[in-house]
Amino acid sequence: MNGHCFEDDNESEKSFASAPEWETKPIRSCPLQPHVLLSLDQKLKRIIFIQQTDQSYHKALSDICDQMIISVLIEPFFYGRHCNASVIVIATANNTYVFDLKAMGAIFSELSKLLEAECPRKIMHYSHRICDLLLHQHKLRINGISDTFVAWCVARQDRSHCTLQEAISLTFDLHPSELTCDEIKSVTESVRNFTARPLSRGQLQYLGKIAILQHKLHDTLIYENICRDLQLMSGKFSCEFNKQSNSDEVAMEMGPTSKAGFDCIDASYKITSTIN
């Protein structure tokens, strides 16, 4: 999944109509374990709300710059260039930042460069809408994108609509009520309330929770679904010597030219990509 933008040839509907049918697959659901829920609760208690280019802002940029991958959420975004972003939420491995664009007035150059760089990679959902907004409202071309909607479609072999909240709910067996707050009861109210100020604690925690779980959704879709066979092969390969108790025999099989365990790797398992 790449963040480069290409010119639209206005044939997306024709391309979709002529695309081969997929056989829908079930998603491997992974209920969140108690320690994960505890970690999530702790992270939500220390959300950092940024309204100006102060010390917190620069610490956030430093943290983001050190990451290999981040989760990015923007509200509102659903209509792309036809709405103005009110907040940008970025979740790193340990911290979650909510940048108040209404208060800041712009996405300043330091953050812009991070968003446009290939690294850190950015996890997004419906990135085509987000990128349209950022391009036309802020002149930013986002790169290094890993889209959870694309991953969802590939994992399920299904190109049906699925919002981020729906994907999170289905993947982690969470009731939809756990992915909202008092101020949000519909899409229209979501847009209205995220553009109004001040933002409530409930809204900030909602934004933080979705951003954090979007990151976990990405990993679950990739490693527990799309690359499931690869993970299984890796597991078998890692256990190759566990079944042997004779240290001398193991030593012989650990020579530089040994192919011990190579039979675990399925040569027919290939991921190919053709660019016309």
Side-chain angles (χ1 to χ4, degrees), residues 75-76 86-87 102 181 184 189-197 199 203-204 206-207:
E75 284 288 353
S86 179
V87 293
K102 290 197 71 175
C181 62
I184 303 172
E189 291 189 9
S190 171
V191 171
R192 175 171 55 80
N193 280 292
F194 280 114
T195 54
R197 290 296 183 275
L199 294 175
Q203 286 175 298
L204 293 176
Y206 161 82
L207 292 168

Side-chain angles (χ1 to χ4, degrees), residues 5 26 31 42 50 104 135 183 208 212:
C5 296
Q42 292 173 340
I50 299 173
M104 297 172 67
L135 176 62
E183 292 83 358
I212 294 167

Side-chain angles (χ1 to χ4, degrees), residues 50-258:
I50 299 173
Q51 296 180 290
Q52 57 186 333
T53 55
D54 56 9
Q55 187 177 20
S56 295
Y57 173 83
H58 292 290
K59 283 185 176 180
L61 293 183
S62 179
D63 182 23
I64 294 167
C65 187
D66 287 341
Q67 305 298 313
M68 290 297 296
I69 188 165
I70 57 177
S71 177
V72 179
L73 190 71
I74 291 182
E75 284 288 353
F77 80 97
F78 199 79
Y79 293 100
R81 71 186 74 179
H82 304 292
C83 59
N84 294 315
S86 179
V87 293
I88 294 182
V89 187
I90 297 180
T92 67
N94 296 307
N95 297 300
T96 305
Y97 307 98
V98 179
F99 295 87
D100 185 349
L101 291 185
K102 290 197 71 175
M104 297 172 67
I107 302 175
F108 297 115
S109 60
E110 303 96 330
L111 181 55
S112 296
K113 290 177 182 177
L114 288 172
L115 292 173
E116 291 190 310
E118 288 286 348
C119 187
R121 287 185 293 120
K122 296 95 190 164
I123 302 171
M124 297 180 177
H125 196 88
Y126 284 161
S127 62
H128 58 331
R129 300 175 187 272
I130 295 173
C131 288
D132 183 76
L133 183 155
L134 292 175
L135 176 62
H136 289 273
Q137 296 287 343
H138 298 276
K139 310 303 179 187
L140 299 181
R141 291 185 178 271
I142 311 304
N143 291 290
I145 294 170
S146 291
D147 193 302
T148 49
F149 175 68
V150 174
W152 174 267
C153 290
V154 173
R156 291 197 71 216
Q157 292 290 284
D158 179 22
R159 286 182 287 257
S160 300
H161 284 290
C162 184
T163 67
L164 176 56
Q165 289 85 345
E166 289 170 339
I168 290 173
S169 176
L170 291 169
T171 303
F172 300 121
D173 288 340
L174 292 173
H175 192 276
S177 63
E178 296 182 63
L179 302 173
T180 187
C181 62
D182 292 341
E183 292 83 358
I184 303 172
K185 296 182 176 65
S186 72
V187 173
T188 302
E189 291 189 9
S190 171
V191 171
R192 175 171 55 80
N193 280 292
F194 280 114
T195 54
R197 290 296 183 275
L199 294 175
S200 70
R201 184 63 183 170
Q203 286 175 298
L204 293 176
Q205 291 204 326
Y206 161 82
L207 292 168
K209 178 182 286 188
I210 296 299
I212 294 167
L213 291 178
Q214 178 176 242
H215 196 155
K216 294 187 178 299
L217 174 67
H218 169 268
D219 289 354
T220 301
L221 291 174
I222 299 297
Y223 298 110
E224 295 296 329
N225 289 273
I226 297 174
C227 292
R228 175 68 176 167
D229 292 340
L230 182 61
Q231 293 295 103
L232 291 174
M233 279 188 272
S234 297
K236 290 179 181 178
F237 185 67
S238 68
C239 296
E240 175 62 21
F241 296 114
N242 293 0
K243 58 192 176 186
Q244 300 188 35
S245 58
N246 189 314
S247 296
D248 292 335
E249 290 182 5
V250 170
M252 292 295 291
E253 291 187 15
M254 285 188 174
T257 60
S258 172

